[in-house]
Amino acid sequence: MEKLSGLRCVVRSRFFPSRFLGGECYKNSVIIGFGGNVGETKKRFERVLLRLKKDKRFFVKESSVLLKNAAFGFVEQSDFLNAVVWVKSSLSAAKILSITANLEIRFGRKRSFKNAPRTLDLDLLYFSKRVRKSARLVLPHPGVSLRPSVFVPLGEMWLDGKMWRTITKKVI
């Protein structure tokens, strides 16, 4: 139970959690991790999700609940809100990484130091069944199995097992 000690509570909002039908015409399943602890994080997450929903390059399949949890790394900062969002897209992982980096900047992200407080952090956690290791992108994201802020919202979304089969090679 030590791993889960930083969890504070589950938060719900207008779009977290949500589930949408469709998106079969897109070839890739992508799981994006949302994080932030500066300003009105819940509203910011909702605005980012709406932006993804309006973007024809993506189909939002599902979003998890929001999870409030303690910061890690640099712990002298406010608690974080985290969520995961499952989208479908025919874009490459590199292109989606570029889009999410631009969204972070648009929503006020400033990179000052590792694990610093931030308005928005978008991580590509999974990209279909692909494994990749480059200087810019590691898939699956190395923090998936280590951070309750990721694996708890993912577990909440995986109850029916359908998403799991579309993004990983095997169920662990």
Side-chain angles (χ1 to χ4, degrees):
M1 209 52 163
E2 173 94 19
K3 260 187 165 179
L4 301 178
S5 63
L7 299 182
R8 304 281 194 245
C9 64
V10 169
V11 178
R12 295 182 186 276
S13 80
R14 197 167 89 176
F15 300 111
F16 291 89
S18 295
R19 188 176 276 181
F20 306 95
L21 299 175
E24 287 74 22
C25 62
Y26 297 92
K27 68 180 185 177
N28 299 311
S29 284
V30 184
I31 305 299
I32 302 171
F34 283 46
N37 71 335
V38 173
E40 296 186 32
T41 306
K42 184 165 72 168
K43 285 183 182 178
R44 187 173 301 109
F45 283 10
E46 289 173 349
R47 289 180 20 230
V48 171
L49 188 67
L50 285 174
R51 185 160 300 200
L52 288 172
K53 283 180 64 61
K54 289 178 182 177
D55 189 327
K56 300 283 187 219
R57 299 172 294 180
F58 298 99
F59 183 87
V60 176
K61 288 289 285 181
E62 191 170 351
S63 64
S64 72
V65 295
L66 300 171
L67 183 66
K68 187 174 185 178
N69 56 284
F72 66 90
F74 175 64
V75 296
E76 298 300 319
Q77 60 181 313
S78 300
D79 288 345
F80 273 76
L81 277 185
N82 292 95
V84 294
V85 175
W86 175 18
V87 300
K88 299 282 288 184
S89 180
S90 294
L91 297 175
S92 69
K95 182 64 179 166
I96 294 171
L97 183 64
S98 175
I99 290 167
T100 57
N102 285 330
L103 282 170
E104 288 177 344
I105 292 166
R106 239 191 181 142
F107 283 91
R109 171 90 187 250
K110 305 270 190 271
R111 294 181 185 269
S112 53
F113 59 91
K114 186 174 173 70
N115 296 322
R118 49 203 172 270
T119 56
L120 182 64
D121 184 22
L122 299 173
D123 291 326
L124 265 62
L125 303 175
Y126 289 102
F127 186 84
S128 291
K129 296 180 181 181
R130 307 233 173 80
V131 174
R132 177 177 176 168
K133 191 169 187 175
S134 71
R136 264 194 95 211
L137 181 61
V138 176
L139 292 168
H141 189 285
V144 169
S145 62
L146 303 174
R147 299 179 188 153
S149 58
V150 173
F151 66 72
V152 170
L154 276 174
E156 180 262 331
M157 286 173 53
W158 287 345
L159 292 176
D160 65 9
K162 290 179 185 170
M163 180 181 63
W164 181 260
R165 288 190 295 277
T166 66
I167 62 169
T168 61
K169 291 183 178 178
K170 62 180 180 178
V171 176
I172 296 173

